[in-house]
Amino acid sequence: MKRLNLQQKWEANRSGVLTAAAFSLVFGLVLGSGLWRSSNAQEMRSLYQELGVAQERQDELQAQHSRLLLEKSAYSSLMQVEKVAVNDLQMVFPEKVTEVQP
């Protein structure tokens, strides 16, 4: 009788240990999942902030590129080339133009 009683106690204790182990495992998985989700959310916020900074930089570079294209077209105009040639380089148009025959 006593042997059966010990066996029943062992079985009851064994199922309690298994239940506690299963509960601990589930609790650990839920906790780990929560920490993982929190970490991912923080990383997403950080990446979104970096994206905003990169887009602002792209807008600045695009505006600068547009200004440089406008400046380039202004400098390549014939009047601007002639002005630089006369004022900066002291070039003059020749008074007599001679044609050379090959």
Side-chain angles (χ1 to χ4, degrees), residues 55-67:
Q55 286 176 336
E56 288 176 7
R57 179 71 176 138
Q58 179 187 11
D59 292 343
E60 291 170 5
L61 289 173
Q62 187 67 35
Q64 182 183 10
H65 179 69
S66 297
R67 286 191 300 271

Side-chain angles (χ1 to χ4, degrees), residues 23-50:
F23 178 76
S24 296
L25 177 65
V26 169
F27 181 75
L29 289 174
V30 168
L31 182 64
S33 173
L35 291 174
W36 178 74
R37 173 113 168 103
S38 175
S39 171
N40 281 348
Q42 178 61 33
E43 184 179 359
M44 181 66 76
R45 282 189 291 274
S46 175
L47 289 173
Y48 191 72
Q49 183 180 9
E50 286 181 33

